[in-house]
Amino acid sequence: MIIPILNAIISSLSHHKDTMSSLLDQLVYTDPTSVIQIYALLDPLTQQVVDGLMFIQGPVPFSHIRSLHDPAARPEWNKSLLILKQLNILQGRGQQVWLNPLFQRSLIRGIAYAGQVNGQVRDNTTSTQLLIDDSMDRYERLIFGLTSGELGDDRNDEIKDLFLSSGLVKTTTQNRKQNYHVTSLGFQFLIQPVHHQLWTLLSEWLIKSSASPSLFVDNLKAILHVARMVGPIGSDSTSANSVLDICSRLFLVTWNGKVLSPTRLQKCLAFYQLRSNHRNKNDDQPSFTIQVETNFHLYAYNPTPLNLAVLSLFTAPRDRLPNLYRGRLTHVSVRGALKRGITADQLILYLNTHTTGRQVPVTLRDQIRLWEADLVRLRAIDTDAYMYSQFTRQVDYEEAISVAKSSSIIYRNDSSRVLIVTRQGHELLQLVPFIKK
């Protein structure tokens, strides 16, 4: 699973190859702090490729790369090579490959300076135990507000825009009141590690706020420096104010205009992580776990408000105690989640992620998939039907839904942005400028 910020860099490189390559080399790959952070965000297998070439000067035969891995792992290894090539870290010609010399020198300098090996900082003077604050709880409340629709704080407007533009939530209007609902992408976002969630939001902000390649690289460098902080530093620069503002809104840093201090939540940014639970093992709060029975009853232990908000998307509540939630997966409750665009596989993955001891019972998994199949099954109709797909932007897809009107929509899949409408809906959509036959 590639970290979203790396995807943002790859996307920007593909659109502005020459300009971005030059700017990355000049401003990012010559900066040891930025290079160390990029290295730390690579998955372990991709780091292994970099490790194998780090201290080799000049080109080496491609056969050397092949000798570093087990032939059985070749597909995963090829993906790692592709990522490094797309990031302009791995370069080559013919059968010769080498690391980008600027990236290589900065990485060696960064490791020598920070005492970092394999993404771990040896001399971290500010441990998470010493950072006593409520940033993790505040972040969780923020995400809870966005997923539950309880958005009364104007301070969250920029975060709301990020959720909307990235397709994590959608809005509906009822009785002149705007309501927020989690989409399929949003549910996928919720079951990811907080590490991945934060990088998703920062990447979306980086793309939205960077009108030019040079501004993109400047903001990227500032974000990488924030992720690498290990203690308070003096900061009176105005060039990175927008980055510090978004990081402050996400509770990653505190900043009074002169001194910049990392929070406990900021530590989630530092390294590549696979854990789905962002709580540190030394935290006092017990971990959240789920137990699912074959009779479709679900027991959730030590749930937070955010956990309860997620569970309410696909379960019918039965009992609520201080440290226990009991609910049941019913046809109606699961169907409600499926109508939001959440898939059966996502529900099963969420349950398996938090279930202790064993996986979700096979009977329950099969029933969830049957409910999904029942929902998407199309009945024969007497009129013509027209399918619209390949919407490049979420806003275009939502506009098409609004124009077609619910009475004309036969089928919709929000995750794939597919719309099937009647002839009446088709005629309405032909009036929309961006629709192509």
Side-chain angles (χ1 to χ4, degrees), residues 16-64:
H16 311 280
K17 184 172 178 58
D18 295 335
T19 305
M20 273 295 298
S21 296
S22 176
L23 288 170
L24 274 177
D25 283 348
Q26 294 174 18
L27 301 176
V28 178
Y29 290 168
T30 56
D31 177 43
T33 300
S34 299
V35 167
I36 279 288
Q37 183 57 48
I38 291 175
Y39 172 81
L41 292 176
L42 298 173
D43 65 89
L45 190 58
T46 308
Q47 283 186 357
Q48 188 178 341
V49 178
V50 177
D51 293 344
L53 296 172
M54 188 188 310
F55 297 104
I56 299 177
Q57 299 296 325
V60 298
F62 190 72
S63 57
H64 171 77

Side-chain angles (χ1 to χ4, degrees), residues 35-300:
V35 167
I36 279 288
Q37 183 57 48
I38 291 175
Y39 172 81
L41 292 176
L42 298 173
D43 65 89
L45 190 58
T46 308
Q47 283 186 357
Q48 188 178 341
V49 178
V50 177
D51 293 344
L53 296 172
M54 188 188 310
F55 297 104
I56 299 177
Q57 299 296 325
V60 298
F62 190 72
S63 57
H64 171 77
I65 295 289
R66 289 182 175 176
S67 68
L68 298 175
H69 70 86
D70 185 343
R74 181 161 295 177
E76 291 78 12
W77 195 264
N78 289 338
K79 291 179 183 178
S80 296
L81 296 177
L82 179 61
I83 290 171
L84 292 174
K85 182 180 178 182
Q86 290 174 327
L87 290 170
N88 200 31
I89 293 174
L90 184 67
Q91 301 176 339
R93 185 183 301 111
Q95 293 297 314
Q96 302 287 316
V97 294
W98 59 89
L99 284 183
N100 182 322
L102 298 173
F103 182 93
Q104 184 181 26
R105 284 195 293 270
S106 295
L107 180 60
I108 294 172
R109 286 177 57 201
I111 290 177
Y113 176 76
Q116 175 168 332
V117 178
N118 294 332
Q120 300 298 319
V121 174
R122 186 174 62 219
D123 184 19
N124 189 347
T125 55
T126 307
S127 66
T128 54
Q129 288 78 12
L130 297 178
L131 292 170
I132 307 301
D133 58 50
D134 61 348
S135 57
M136 289 186 174
D137 292 325
R138 295 176 71 186
Y139 172 78
E140 195 164 85
R141 288 197 296 269
L142 170 65
I143 303 302
F144 168 75
L146 290 167
T147 55
S148 64
E150 299 176 7
L151 300 166
D153 189 357
D154 293 338
R155 184 179 186 273
N156 295 335
D157 283 348
E158 189 167 3
I159 308 300
K160 284 189 284 186
D161 291 342
L162 287 180
F163 266 71
L164 288 168
S165 63
S166 57
L168 301 178
V169 297
K170 62 181 179 181
T171 59
T172 58
T173 303
Q174 186 176 10
N175 298 328
R176 298 183 179 181
K177 181 181 179 182
Q178 195 173 46
N179 300 311
Y180 291 79
H181 302 284
V182 179
T183 64
S184 175
L185 288 175
F187 189 81
Q188 185 68 32
F189 172 87
L190 291 173
I191 64 179
Q192 289 171 342
V194 164
H195 164 80
H196 202 278
Q197 292 178 7
L198 290 168
W199 281 117
T200 297
L201 296 176
L202 288 173
S203 301
E204 181 66 25
W205 177 88
L206 178 63
I207 294 170
K208 282 187 58 179
S209 62
S210 303
S212 65
S214 60
L215 185 57
F216 179 95
V217 172
D218 287 339
N219 288 337
L220 170 65
K221 185 175 179 180
I223 289 173
L224 294 174
H225 275 247
V226 168
R228 205 73 208 148
M229 289 175 60
V230 295
I233 59 172
S235 177
D236 55 2
S237 171
T238 58
S239 61
N241 275 4
S242 59
V243 172
L244 298 182
D245 180 63
I246 189 63
C247 288
S248 176
R249 290 175 184 271
L250 290 173
F251 313 112
L252 297 170
V253 297
T254 59
W255 183 49
N256 60 11
K258 293 184 178 180
V259 178
L260 186 67
S261 301
T263 65
R264 288 176 67 90
L265 185 63
Q266 180 265 355
K267 297 303 174 185
C268 293
L269 290 177
F271 311 118
Y272 183 90
Q273 297 177 3
L274 292 173
R275 293 171 59 244
S276 60
N277 191 342
H278 73 275
R279 296 281 176 182
N280 187 281
K281 64 181 181 180
N282 296 316
D283 285 350
D284 294 332
Q285 180 167 332
S287 60
F288 167 65
T289 57
I290 289 176
Q291 178 181 340
V292 186
E293 298 183 345
T294 53
N295 60 3
F296 292 16
H297 282 281
L298 178 147
Y299 299 87

